[in-house]
Amino acid sequence: YIAYVDPLIASAQKYFCPDHDVTFFVFTDSTLPQRAHVEYVYHPKLGWPFDSMMRFKCYVEHQQLFKDQDFVFAIDADALFVDVVGDEILGD
């Protein structure tokens, strides 16, 4: 899935909350070059079906990363944003 990360981030930078400062957290077992606004978090490959089943456990284990965030959204790496997702996604 690592091949999907760059297209996802490029689409998100264009369309996801474009009026806000967004940080992307990428959970991966790969080593990738550093990029602005992207935090890579090491997470070992668990294999099917555990990569999907244990994702929330992973989020809890790394919850300190999110302490300065106002909102946290999760999306699979093989998704793309194709139009603007704006403030309507944010709660009160």
Side-chain angles (χ1 to χ4, degrees):
Y1 279 77
I2 201 64
Y4 296 109
V5 171
D6 284 339
L8 169 60
I9 290 175
S11 71
Q13 288 175 326
K14 182 175 182 180
Y15 292 121
F16 185 76
C17 294
D19 297 328
H20 297 277
D21 182 26
V22 177
T23 300
F24 301 96
F25 296 92
V26 177
F27 293 86
T28 182
D29 63 347
S30 298
T31 302
L32 300 167
Q34 293 299 313
R35 296 174 55 175
H37 305 286
V38 179
E39 297 284 336
Y40 296 105
V41 182
Y42 178 78
H43 184 68
K45 183 176 175 84
L46 303 174
W48 176 260
F50 302 105
D51 290 318
S52 291
M53 291 174 51
M54 305 302 282
R55 74 177 62 199
F56 293 102
K57 181 178 186 279
C58 176
Y59 300 155
V60 169
E61 289 174 349
H62 296 285
Q63 64 185 315
Q64 77 281 356
L65 295 173
F66 312 128
K67 68 179 175 25
D68 294 327
Q69 306 303 310
D70 294 322
F71 298 93
V72 176
F73 298 93
I75 189 166
D76 288 343
D78 60 350
L80 289 175
F81 292 90
V82 296
D83 203 349
V84 174
V85 176
D87 289 353
E88 71 276 0
I89 198 170
L90 306 177
D92 295 332

